[in-house]
Amino acid sequence: MNDAPAAHAPQIPDRPSLDGLEDKWAQVWAEQATYRFDRDAPRERVFSIDTPPPTASGSLHVGHVFSYTHTDCMARYKRMRGFEVFYPIGWDDNGLPTEKRVQNYYGVRGDATLPYQPDLEPPFRGTTKAVRAADEKPISRQNFIELCDELTVKDEEAFESLFRRLGFSLDWSISYRTIDDRSRATAQQAFLRNLARGEAYQAEAPGLWDVTFQTAVAQAELEARDYPGAYHRVAFHRTDQPGGVIPIETTRPELIPAVVALIAHPDDERYRPLFGTTVTSPLFGVEVPVLAHPAAEMDKGAGIAMCCTFGDLTDVMWWRELRLPTRSILGRTGRVAQETPEWIAGGPGERLYAVELAGRTAHSAREAVVAALRASGDLQGEPTPTQRKANFYERGEKPLEIVTSRQWYIRNGGRDAELNAALIGRGREIEFHPTFMRARYENWVSGLNGDWLISRQRFFGVPIPVWYALDEHGEVDYDRVLVPAEGSLPVDPAAQAPEGYDESQRGRPGGFVGDPDVMDTWATSSLTPQIAGDWRATEHDPDGLFHRVFPMDMRPQAHDIIRTWLFSTVVRSHHEHGCVPWSDAAISGWILDPERKKMSKSKGNVVTPEDVVRENSADAVRYWAASGRLGTDAAYDPGRMKVGRRLAIKVLNASKFALSFGEVDGDGAAAVTHPLDQSMLAALADVVDKATAGFESWDYTRSLEVTETFFWTFCDDYLELVKDRAYGGRGDAAAASARAALRLALDALLRLLAPFLPYATEEVWSWFAVGSVHRRQWPSRSELPTGGDARVLGAVGEALAGVRKVKSEAKVGMRAEVRSMTLAGPEPLLAAVRAAEDDLRASGRITDLAYAVGEILEVRDAELVPAEKKPA
């Protein structure tokens, strides 16, 4: 990096324009590898960024532009501060979003029971209408995966084109896909090490299940939504008192066949005498205990609740803590089990279950149970409509059910107080920007109630890298887990045999079966530092890439995924490396639509950025994004983009004027002798300090604000004031001072604006300097002569504004002569104006200027002579 640019004679276009700059400079930056990371740089000179891999399913929206621009501004600043910036790009292309898009795009669905078809042609390629699930063509697992891979590659190409156009200074030579071989091998290796250390385990347990996507869902993926329901007041029958009943209120009467207890608060006087007794369920006559638990809510409904296996997460807690039996009736399809359960068989509800409930959806079963309760007299009154809170998968459309299944987990402190405290401590080792975001991290970690569920019952993901031995009867022995060697990764247990076996033994007694599940997408994304840093290849090489970039310096992301991406990455780093994955976390807010709702593809309220960039320019869109502070939600505002476009155009035009005087001879700073020039540069030195402090405190917006404010003062006041003198109107020495000051200011201002407006600043830089402005040193106070009085420019600018106001009110042009006027104001301001009076006279076309002391700076008694109109 050079401290000063190699200059050449200015080569300025006749009509500077923003049009075409993105294509021009994107090509130059690519050809010259402007943003290429130096892999030989020592760690102390490296600034490494854990770039968020965007979900490659469909299209980006302006929310992505917002957060990625924040990151890019910091990357550009650090590069200009002398750091080698490790700024990779990845694409998050595995998981449910991709599978859902593939189903809609091609009109297919995966079916693991079907054989692979070479040269499969799907029913559609980019259908514009929704395809009903019943109309989707079932295809093999491998065919489905191939279509997922095909479509994500197309999406990623479009994403890359947009990111390049927006000027993100990513090192495109460091890229990955979360489904590529390196990512799959990294995720599998980390999992196998978790397994070896006891941090990963398998368990048969109740868990949240999405019946639409047919997969387990983790706590971090939940979204609570209002869901219409009704309270049903239902009578349970006391066994200690013939004819006695205990009414309960429930929104899920279809789960009465799965009831295992009635539960009330231990301090509730109404039910305390009943604790330890039993009741029988209506319709089915199953005897269950009445128990106490402090989580029961005395003021909700009847104050006593039925615990079923399982209606909600409270049921799971009661089941676990009170050691209750499991009596599940809902399966993975969301339908009631076909086979009559043993606790119902032979009882009064056997026929009801077999005829009216078996195989029904939860909704249909609810209707049947309510009808039966009404007929038996156990329904007291009619159902009361209500809006109940239900858990949904964040991308799902139906409430989640709780289903017992065998799943894989990674310990995350949800069931281990010591680990929980350690992970809260890790959060305190990270600098959050803004700082209040740490509270969101700690609140999430402290509120965990279970370990991290990482297995998913899908197709397009990283396979769980294990097999299970089969006993002599062909039954799976889950205690005999077969694992691959790290050197053989990545593996696909559904298509490969474990070491010591061959494919002919798959599914046969004494043979093996592969684990059918894939990892949750966060289980891969939580390893982005390891994937980008090439952990597997270089972890044992102290001079390798991983040790040059890890722990990383920056994790940029949105606040809504602190609980998922940020926390899961901390968990993986804590387990594998015993440290935090990065020193700083920069947390962006959301982009809101005009109704102040978060923009997201799932909500259908997004604005795609391609047309916005073409209409306004990349610099204008970046300006809008950089105007929003970290951690703060911002509205989508085309008006701010227009302001940004105006700023970028002004950079071109003002620079054309500043460079129009040719080369500056000798030491530019020494040539600056005029008080106005010295004042302007002294004020600019203060701006450099403030802009630098803004970036150092992660307040990029403050840096932009102070720089932009000064730039407009520079254009509107200083350039107008200095124009006559710069053209030689008052002699060579005065002109040399103006021209040197213009060049010094332009040089510094372009570098201050470069992180925000990379195209306009690079274009201007090329007019007079060799190399890229983005590889130049960030400006410093020491570059600028600071002996001037910074008040002079402000005072003279205010006086010029007063002259303009007088002319405007008189409805004469700005070229009108001021034959005479009095400038009144406080003496210190008048003294400052006198120091640059010659520039004020020339700019304002003032002939006779008098001064008078006053409370405010104002123009009095102005005599104007309108400028003569030029002949047509």
Side-chain angles (χ1 to χ4, degrees):
M1 178 173 291
N2 299 324
D3 293 334
H8 58 72
Q11 300 172 355
I12 308 169
D14 293 335
R15 294 179 179 273
S17 172
L18 297 178
D19 296 339
L21 292 189
E22 290 96 349
D23 292 334
K24 172 184 176 180
W25 288 110
Q27 181 177 346
V28 171
W29 293 333
E31 291 173 351
Q32 298 182 356
T34 303
Y35 308 120
R36 179 69 59 84
F37 172 69
D38 181 0
R39 290 172 178 255
D40 294 325
R43 182 64 184 91
E44 63 270 15
R45 280 191 51 234
V46 170
F47 184 82
S48 53
I49 301 173
D50 185 13
T51 317
T55 301
S57 58
S59 60
L60 293 167
H61 61 79
V62 291
H64 293 98
V65 175
F66 183 68
S67 58
Y68 282 85
T69 297
H70 289 174
T71 306
D72 191 62
C73 289
M74 180 58 86
R76 290 180 177 277
Y77 168 74
K78 289 294 185 179
R79 201 176 280 116
M80 296 176 77
R81 291 288 286 180
F83 289 93
E84 279 298 317
V85 177
F86 181 75
Y87 193 8
I89 181 64
W91 308 108
D92 191 8
D93 45 16
N94 75 69
L96 286 173
T98 297
E99 291 196 22
K100 188 174 182 180
R101 174 159 158 74
V102 166
Q103 288 174 257
N104 292 335
Y105 190 88
Y106 294 110
V108 298
R109 59 181 172 84
D111 186 336
T113 66
L114 296 178
Y116 176 71
Q117 295 182 49
D119 304 319
L120 172 80
E121 184 59 32
F124 304 102
R125 285 189 178 273
T127 178
T128 57
K129 61 181 181 179
V131 179
R132 293 189 311 158
D135 295 333
E136 292 172 348
K137 177 181 178 178
I139 62 175
S140 75
R141 170 182 178 273
Q142 189 57 39
N143 285 126
F144 189 80
I145 289 172
E146 287 178 357
L147 290 179
C148 289
D149 199 53
E150 175 184 294
L151 189 55
T152 53
V153 168
K154 290 180 181 178
D155 289 339
E156 287 155 15
E157 289 171 353
F159 287 15
E160 178 176 339
S161 175
L162 178 64
F163 275 29
R164 287 182 182 272
R165 177 170 287 276
L166 284 162
F168 297 154
S169 58
L170 297 151
D171 184 346
W172 291 97
S173 69
I174 308 173
S175 65
Y176 63 88
R177 303 170 64 216
T178 57
I179 200 64
D180 65 22
D181 284 353
R182 179 175 51 162
S183 296
R184 286 187 290 123
T186 301
Q188 289 182 339
Q189 178 168 307
F191 170 82
L192 290 172
R193 292 191 180 182
N194 291 140
L195 181 61
R197 292 190 296 259
E199 296 148 3
Y201 65 93
Q202 194 175 188
E204 182 95 19
L208 294 158
W209 185 268
D210 189 290
V211 298
T212 302
F213 290 108
Q214 284 291 288
T215 187
V217 175
Q219 182 182 351
E221 298 168 308
L222 298 185
E223 187 176 282
R225 303 179 197 165
D226 286 328
Y227 192 73
Y231 276 114
H232 302 75
R233 190 173 179 87
V234 177
F236 277 69
H237 302 275
R238 296 178 60 169
T239 59
D240 64 339
Q241 186 183 98
V245 298
I246 300 178
I248 62 100
E249 293 188 17
T250 179
T251 59
R252 303 208 60 183
E254 72 276 15
L255 293 181
I256 289 175
V259 68
V260 291
L262 295 189
I263 297 177
H265 196 280
D267 296 334
D268 195 326
E269 298 291 344
R270 294 171 294 176
Y271 301 109
R272 186 178 291 173
L274 299 176
F275 295 148
T277 67
T278 62
V279 295
T280 59
S281 60
L283 303 180
F284 301 96
V286 177
E287 188 172 353
V288 297
V290 180
L291 303 173
H293 193 282
E297 299 176 77
M298 289 188 282
D299 58 350
K300 183 176 180 180
I304 188 167
M306 66 175 188
C307 174
C308 304
T309 52
F310 297 91
D312 57 23
L313 293 174
T314 303
D315 282 345
V316 176
M317 175 182 66
W318 285 336
W319 167 82
R320 182 176 291 122
E321 294 183 7
L322 298 175
R323 300 181 180 278
L324 297 169
T326 301
R327 293 176 181 161
S328 300
I329 62 166
L330 288 178
R332 293 186 174 195
T333 62
R335 293 177 178 271
V336 176
Q338 288 281 2
E339 187 175 343
T340 303
E342 60 177 339
W343 60 90
I344 291 176
E350 180 177 19
R351 185 178 184 283
L352 171 64
Y353 186 96
V355 176
E356 300 291 338
L357 305 184
R360 298 286 189 92
T361 64
H363 176 77
S364 296
R366 182 180 310 132
E367 292 181 334
V369 168
V370 171
L373 288 170
R374 189 177 283 115
S376 70
D378 290 319
L379 180 67
Q380 298 183 350
E382 286 301 305
T384 305
T386 185
Q387 287 286 326
R388 66 185 178 96
K389 282 291 183 184
N391 285 320
F392 286 73
Y393 170 52
E394 58 191 358
R395 300 181 184 274
E397 298 173 355
K398 293 183 178 179
L400 296 171
E401 296 293 350
I402 296 178
V403 174
T404 299
S405 59
R406 182 173 292 276
Q407 303 289 345
W408 282 99
Y409 299 84
I410 290 179
R411 302 186 193 280
N412 68 351
R415 295 184 179 177
D416 181 335
E418 186 176 342
L419 177 58
N420 190 279
L423 291 171
I424 289 176
R426 290 294 185 206
R428 293 171 183 172
E429 296 177 37
I430 299 167
E431 292 295 330
F432 282 80
H433 308 282
T435 56
F436 67 79
M437 287 294 176
R438 178 181 286 108
R440 297 197 182 190
Y441 173 89
E442 294 191 2
N443 289 342
W444 173 255
V445 180
S446 61
L448 288 169
N449 56 27
D451 285 328
W452 177 17
L453 170 68
I454 66 158
S455 48
R456 294 292 183 274
Q457 291 66 50
R458 301 299 297 175
F459 298 105
F460 197 54
V462 178
I464 302 287
V466 301
W467 300 261
Y468 307 101
L470 300 180
D471 64 19
E472 64 274 17
H473 304 294
E475 296 294 324
V476 178
D477 185 349
Y478 288 106
D479 293 329
R480 292 180 61 194
V481 178
L482 310 174
V483 299
E486 288 186 357
S488 67
L489 303 176
V491 297
D492 182 357
Q496 297 168 248
E499 186 177 354
Y501 294 81
D502 60 51
E503 193 61 32
S504 67
Q505 296 173 278
R506 185 182 295 273
R508 296 185 177 277
F512 70 92
V513 291
D515 192 300
D517 295 343
V518 297
M519 295 184 198
D520 163 27
T521 188
W522 295 114
T524 309
S525 299
S526 61
L527 297 165
T528 49
Q530 291 82 357
I531 295 169
D534 208 9
W535 165 59
R536 291 190 74 236
T538 62
E539 68 166 324
H540 300 301
D541 179 3
D543 295 321
L545 177 64
F546 187 66
H547 295 285
R548 293 180 188 272
V549 301
F550 186 88
M552 292 188 165
D553 297 284
M554 178 183 185
R555 156 57 74 83
Q557 66 165 76
H559 58 73
D560 58 324
I561 53 173
I562 287 175
R563 71 188 195 280
T564 49
W565 191 35
L566 190 146
F567 175 57
S568 63
T569 310
V570 172
V571 170
R572 303 308 286 275
S573 183
H574 174 80
H575 284 322
E576 185 61 40
H577 308 290
C579 66
V580 293
W582 356 260
S583 59
D584 293 78
I587 311 298
S588 296
W590 285 338
I591 293 301
L592 307 177
D593 68 10
E595 296 181 3
R596 307 297 294 177
K597 295 179 180 177
K598 176 196 174 186
M599 274 192 182
S600 70
K601 287 186 281 189
S602 62
K603 295 181 185 296
N605 63 346
V606 303
V607 175
T608 55
E610 289 86 350
D611 293 339
V612 175
V613 173
R614 288 189 178 91
E615 180 182 350
N616 297 282
S617 82
D619 279 351
V621 176
R622 289 173 62 100
Y623 169 87
W624 158 74
S627 299
R629 281 188 161 79
L630 283 177
T632 303
D633 295 341
Y636 172 68
D637 187 357
R640 291 295 292 171
M641 295 179 195
K642 288 180 171 58
V643 173
R645 181 175 176 83
R646 177 170 169 256
L647 175 63
I649 291 172
K650 193 67 174 181
V651 168
L652 299 180
N653 293 331
S655 300
K656 180 180 180 181
F657 170 74
L659 293 169
S660 64
F661 304 102
E663 284 298 287
V664 175
D665 297 328
D667 181 359
V672 178
T673 57
H674 193 281
L676 184 66
D677 305 332
Q678 293 172 334
S679 174
M680 181 272 292
L681 292 174
L684 178 55
D686 291 339
V687 170
V688 168
D689 286 346
K690 292 174 182 176
T692 304
F695 268 111
E696 291 297 322
S697 62
W698 298 75
D699 190 353
Y700 333 129
T701 305
R702 176 60 178 159
S703 300
L704 174 59
E705 287 172 348
V706 297
T707 302
E708 181 189 10
T709 299
F710 178 84
F711 178 75
W712 285 115
T713 298
F714 175 79
C715 294
D716 295 343
D717 294 342
Y718 179 74
L719 293 187
E720 292 302 315
L721 287 164
V722 81
K723 189 176 294 184
D724 178 74
R725 182 159 51 87
Y727 279 122
R730 287 191 299 284
D732 291 344
S737 177
R739 294 171 184 177
L742 283 169
R743 181 62 66 87
L744 286 169
L746 178 64
D747 189 289
L749 282 168
L750 289 175
R751 287 178 285 154
L752 288 172
L753 289 168
F756 310 104
L757 310 176
Y759 288 110
T761 53
E762 187 77 304
E763 172 69 8
V764 171
W765 194 263
S766 72
W767 296 348
F768 70 97
V770 176
S772 172
V773 67
H774 304 298
R775 279 292 185 175
R776 296 302 169 188
Q777 192 74 33
W778 181 255
S780 66
R781 169 178 285 274
S782 63
E783 301 173 22
L784 302 168
T786 56
D789 182 352
R791 294 174 299 175
V792 171
L793 176 59
V796 182
E798 188 176 348
L800 179 61
V803 174
R804 289 169 174 160
K805 179 181 178 183
V806 167
K807 291 181 179 181
S808 178
E809 290 174 346
K811 294 183 170 53
V812 299
M814 291 299 114
R815 293 181 56 79
E817 177 188 351
V818 182
R819 181 171 293 167
S820 64
M821 59 167 271
T822 297
L823 183 65
E827 184 53 44
L829 287 182
L830 297 180
V833 172
R834 290 189 185 98
E837 181 181 310
D838 54 345
D839 286 332
L840 176 63
R841 284 177 177 271
S843 178
R845 301 177 67 82
I846 303 167
T847 302
D848 186 10
L849 174 60
Y851 295 93
V853 176
E855 292 186 3
I856 61 171
L857 198 66
E858 61 180 345
V859 174
R860 299 175 182 171
D861 306 324
E863 182 181 350
L864 305 177
V865 180
E868 293 184 7
K869 292 185 177 180
K870 295 182 179 180

